[in-house]
Amino acid sequence: MLPEDAAATIGRAASTSFSDYIAAQNPAALPSARDAANHSAGGADLAPHATTIVSLTYAGGVLMAGDRRATMGNIIASRHIEKVFPADMFSVLGIAGSAGIALDITRLFQVELEHYEKIEGTRMSLDGKANRLAAMIRANLPLALQGLAVVPLFAGFDTTRRVGRLFSFDVTGGRYEEQEHHSVGSGSVFARGALKKLWKPNLGEDDAVKVAVEALYDAADDDSATGGPDVVRQLWPVVYTVNGAGARRIPERTLAEAAEDIIASRSVSGREA
């Protein structure tokens, strides 16, 4: 058994926020602790960037999808990067911007939610999760001003309201709840145009998957930084759905069928644009 004074010290150090605890104990370990003075705006092109993420609500939940391409200036840095991750059982996170920093923030956010659940004995509310993520993005502002920005998209199933919800952010940590659908990243303008035409109220899950894949297909058609379905390499978007049963990754076989259906329909119709 710990001495009373040691137990009191540990109790005072305990916090529901893992990132606050790290900031107090070892601030250099945080993603936002990178030395912004060592980076220039032009140097941002040397860091791989993740691009287009789409999210949409459907009957009973919410879906998020991301393409597989990362770019470094005019170079394709990776064709295999994954940009959508489960944050916890009932939420998912998509990243756009500087890939390395975004991945660090994603891992920290996952630990943050797990830590809160262990300390409090309950899950954080969906609004609470979005607020915690906003604080992490705000902490990265000095690097964002140097061109190393991270702009995530966050979605989850609200277990109180029993609906799927999605949130966007800006580089200052501003948090905005979106309705129906949204997209971030370099191809987001084209993806949003597709979502406006394809999304309908009360979509089924299968139809929602097809809408997301087609929106990414349209984004890749006009944005060089967004990777479309790669039939040769058998690379498909990463897609997660979140509903009352939790987060689930859509199998690649389902995504391959959706992509091939899109390609076949456009080939048959002879569509150029």
Side-chain angles (χ1 to χ4, degrees):
M1 180 178 291
L2 289 171
E4 185 175 344
D5 57 343
T9 300
I10 293 173
R12 286 193 298 271
S15 169
T16 58
S17 173
F18 182 77
S19 56
D20 286 351
Y21 175 78
I22 294 299
Q25 301 298 318
N26 185 16
L30 292 171
S32 58
R34 291 175 172 85
D35 186 0
N38 291 332
H39 298 280
S40 65
D45 286 342
L46 301 178
H49 276 62
T51 49
T52 311
I53 306 294
V54 302
S55 185
L56 61 142
T57 58
Y58 66 91
V62 65
L63 175 150
M64 187 175 291
D67 74 302
R68 303 293 296 276
R69 178 174 292 179
T71 57
M72 195 163 57
N74 65 323
I75 303 297
I76 297 175
S78 175
R79 292 183 175 87
H80 302 267
I81 188 173
E82 297 194 2
K83 308 172 188 176
V84 181
F85 306 91
D88 67 358
M89 183 176 178
F90 289 103
S91 61
V92 291
L93 175 66
I95 57 170
S98 298
I101 297 174
L103 290 172
D104 280 351
I105 290 175
T106 297
R107 297 185 191 102
L108 180 60
F109 185 56
Q110 291 169 330
V111 175
E112 178 89 357
L113 299 186
E114 183 178 354
H115 176 80
Y116 179 93
E117 187 173 341
K118 288 179 178 178
I119 295 294
E120 292 293 318
T122 186
R123 290 190 182 90
M124 191 183 298
S125 69
L126 192 64
D127 284 296
K129 296 172 192 177
N131 288 336
R132 287 289 175 92
L133 181 58
M136 291 182 182
I137 301 305
R138 188 178 306 114
N140 192 60
L141 182 57
L143 286 178
L145 295 176
Q146 300 295 320
L148 298 171
V150 174
V151 184
L153 197 55
F154 177 66
F157 184 78
D158 191 321
T159 55
T160 302
R161 299 186 189 180
R162 307 299 298 175
V163 295
R165 300 168 64 194
L166 59 112
F167 301 86
S168 66
F169 304 81
D170 61 34
V171 294
T172 67
R175 189 209 80 168
Y176 314 96
E177 183 165 3
E178 305 292 346
Q179 305 298 319
E180 301 174 350
H181 52 75
H182 196 66
S183 178
V184 296
S186 63
S188 62
V189 173
F190 310 110
R192 286 183 203 176
L195 289 170
K196 287 180 180 180
K197 303 298 183 185
L198 299 171
W199 185 89
K200 298 176 182 178
N202 298 314
L203 280 171
E205 183 177 291
D206 292 343
D207 289 332
V209 171
K210 293 176 182 177
V211 167
V213 173
E214 188 158 4
L216 288 174
Y217 185 100
D218 283 349
D221 206 33
D222 287 299
D223 174 47
S224 62
T226 303
D230 193 329
V231 178
V232 175
R233 297 181 179 86
Q234 292 291 291
L235 292 174
W236 318 109
V238 175
V239 182
Y240 276 88
T241 58
V242 194
N243 53 32
R248 180 177 76 94
R249 181 166 177 165
I250 300 299
E252 291 202 346
R253 178 179 297 178
T254 302
L255 299 173
E257 291 173 355
E260 289 167 357
D261 286 346
I262 293 168
I263 294 170
S265 65
R266 297 194 178 195
S267 298
V268 169
S269 61
R271 289 175 60 177
E272 170 63 23

